[in-house]
Amino acid sequence: AQLFALTAPLITTSDGAKMGKTAGGAIWLNADKLSEYDYWQFWRNTADADVVRFLKLFTELPLEEISKLASKLDGADINKAKIVLADEATSMLHGKECLPKIHETVQTMFSTGGTSTESLPRVFVSPSDLADGGVGVLDLFVKLGLAQSKKAARRLIQGGGARLEMTKIEDEKATLTSDNFEGKTEVTLRAGKKRAGVV
């Protein structure tokens, strides 16, 4: 019998950090562990120096098309290339059908206009959960995958990166109550500028 083996070099980013399951920031492929939106954002946040190489490694775009993108990577064009990378990588894993919702969510999160939060991770709470002191925001950040632990959620709050809608959360013991909804059916928790989830 013949045996065949295939090996590949360890993939690293331009700063030398390895990409792998033991590296910090490694991502899940299944949508129940990491939303399509967060997967798209992972690729959208690629370092400038890695974009062309990752287009070649992680997409099925023709090399000629990648070369065209690579020939004009100044200013806003680098962001266009990152969006192409994010779109292509995400559609390979989750299908092209999820892209319109993701783009609308991005528009909502980072531009004026747009109202969609459909692509964001979400947790559901009942009116009874919101009574008697409410639900702790630390727990919600962890459940939404916006923090890996309560300790990480505390650091996020202490660093000024945690928000309820557009209001900075300053108290680690803050809770979400019915008052926060003010007649709405959902509210958005934000971790930094690019990650968010819906309650």
Side-chain angles (χ1 to χ4, degrees), residues 1-70:
Q2 286 184 307
L3 295 176
F4 298 91
L6 177 67
T7 62
L10 183 67
I11 298 173
T12 58
T13 59
S14 58
D15 61 3
K18 70 176 183 176
M19 295 178 71
K21 67 180 182 179
T22 57
I27 56 169
W28 291 94
L29 298 181
N30 29 337
D32 60 331
K33 295 281 190 179
L34 185 76
S35 71
E36 291 96 335
Y37 170 82
D38 284 331
Y39 186 78
W40 186 92
Q41 276 291 353
F42 172 82
W43 295 106
R44 171 63 182 81
N45 293 332
T46 296
D48 294 0
D50 291 322
V51 174
V52 172
R53 187 162 61 96
F54 286 3
L55 280 165
K56 292 176 181 176
L57 287 172
F58 298 112
T59 77
E60 295 179 340
L61 283 177
L63 290 177
E64 304 78 38
E65 191 170 336
I66 294 173
S67 295
K68 286 179 186 175
L69 286 168

Side-chain angles (χ1 to χ4, degrees), residues 85-104:
L85 170 62
D87 283 354
E88 291 296 320
T90 303
S91 62
M92 281 180 66
L93 179 62
H94 295 295
K96 289 186 181 295
E97 305 79 30
C98 68
L99 294 180
K101 291 178 184 174
I102 290 171
H103 292 163
E104 190 175 347

Side-chain angles (χ1 to χ4, degrees), residues 127-142:
S128 60
D129 294 329
L130 298 172
D132 298 324
V135 183
V137 294
L138 295 179
D139 293 314
L140 292 170
F141 274 104
V142 173

Side-chain angles (χ1 to χ4, degrees), residues 77-148:
D77 288 321
I78 189 73
N79 289 322
K80 290 177 185 174
K82 289 181 182 185
I83 290 170
V84 170
L85 170 62
D87 283 354
E88 291 296 320
T90 303
S91 62
M92 281 180 66
L93 179 62
H94 295 295
K96 289 186 181 295
E97 305 79 30
C98 68
L99 294 180
K101 291 178 184 174
I102 290 171
H103 292 163
E104 190 175 347
T105 299
V106 170
Q107 180 74 13
T108 298
M109 293 288 293
F110 308 114
S111 307
T112 56
T115 57
S116 177
T117 58
E118 196 167 340
S119 293
L120 295 177
R122 60 188 57 232
V123 295
F124 295 91
V125 293
S126 66
S128 60
D129 294 329
L130 298 172
D132 298 324
V135 183
V137 294
L138 295 179
D139 293 314
L140 292 170
F141 274 104
V142 173
K143 287 178 182 177
L144 286 165
L146 300 176
Q148 293 184 340

